[in-house]
Amino acid sequence: MNKSELRKKILEIRNSIDVYEKQVKDSKIFNNIINSYQYKHSNNIFIFVSYSSEVDTHKVIEYSLKNGKRIFVPKVISKKLGMEVIEIRGFSDLKRSKYGILEPCENNYIRPEEIDVAFIPGLAFDKKGGRLGYGGGFYDRYLKLLKKSTAKIGLCYSFQVIENVPMEEYDIRIDGIIED
């Protein structure tokens, strides 16, 4: 199965999850995140703001802010320029982009080398560090700027972990997965 077919298949499955089942899965993932070594030993956390049927990150963001962690979220600048990562102090710092995704209003950038852990979205992952994103290359371009010691952790539901994600030479491998 090529990347495009795999994206479509996984998205269909993810979009069809029952609301209650999603809440149960999201709750497990939340607990797995906040109890992870990478989370506990990080101050500057890069995390996506979940959208649609993605793993819910809103609870993690709220919990982290209440507990004194600094939260940085992506903001797409353009297809050519990629994305930046910007600090937020709450959901009031976010507005909907033209794609309906919550993005920061301000421009409190962080240098990539200051990020302690990065929690990454994706459509499919494998146990060898493979990640299938949405096809824009935004995360691959940004993740290569992080220092080598920054943990890159994919967040997903267990059905999104597959045997082998098709990878290109420019695709960045992740360090681990947190799932339900």
Side-chain angles (χ1 to χ4, degrees):
M1 194 176 304
N2 68 32
K3 285 184 174 187
S4 179
E5 294 166 335
L6 188 55
R7 280 187 186 100
K8 185 178 179 197
K9 178 184 175 193
I10 297 289
L11 199 52
E12 284 176 6
I13 296 168
R14 199 178 72 188
N15 286 340
S16 69
I17 298 175
D18 172 75
V19 173
Y20 175 75
E21 183 184 358
K22 184 177 183 335
Q23 289 172 345
V24 170
K25 290 175 175 294
D26 286 336
S27 180
K28 287 180 185 175
I29 293 169
F30 168 82
N31 287 317
N32 291 341
I33 292 170
I34 66 168
N35 290 308
S36 70
Y37 175 88
Q38 294 88 348
Y39 178 86
K40 288 181 177 180
H41 293 87
S42 296
N43 292 315
N44 294 339
I45 297 172
F46 168 31
I47 189 167
F48 63 101
V49 181
S50 56
Y51 171 74
S52 187
S53 63
E54 290 180 326
V55 167
D56 178 31
T57 60
H58 293 218
K59 289 178 192 163
V60 175
I61 292 168
E62 289 170 351
Y63 177 87
S64 300
L65 291 169
K66 285 180 190 167
N67 287 283
K69 301 218 184 242
R70 294 177 70 201
I71 294 295
F72 299 86
V73 300
K75 180 177 184 172
V76 172
I77 307 305
S78 69
K79 181 80 170 159
K80 181 181 178 187
L81 297 174
M83 70 182 194
E84 290 290 343
V85 176
I86 298 171
E87 184 171 14
I88 62 166
R89 291 182 174 77
F91 282 90
S92 61
D93 292 348
L94 302 172
K95 66 175 180 166
R96 293 219 179 267
S97 72
K98 62 182 176 182
Y99 303 106
I101 299 168
L102 289 173
E103 289 188 332
C105 309
E106 300 295 321
N107 292 321
N108 301 323
Y109 298 102
I110 186 171
R111 292 189 332 265
E113 60 271 13
E114 294 180 68
I115 295 170
D116 299 321
V117 63
F119 292 108
I120 318 287
L123 287 167
F125 298 91
D126 67 34
K127 300 287 186 181
K128 299 172 293 243
R131 172 187 167 270
L132 179 67
Y134 294 94
F138 294 106
Y139 278 86
D140 288 315
R141 287 187 277 164
Y142 192 83
L143 294 176
K144 70 181 179 185
L145 304 175
L146 300 177
K147 63 183 182 261
K148 296 232 184 286
S149 62
T150 300
K152 297 177 289 299
I153 310 295
L155 301 182
C156 66
Y157 301 116
S158 53
F159 64 82
Q160 293 176 267
V161 180
I162 64 173
E163 186 65 33
N164 191 34
V165 170
M167 298 283 286
E168 309 294 334
E169 68 278 354
Y170 52 81
D171 291 330
I172 301 296
R173 292 197 174 272
I174 59 169
D175 302 308
I177 303 166
I178 292 179
E179 59 184 291
D180 58 308

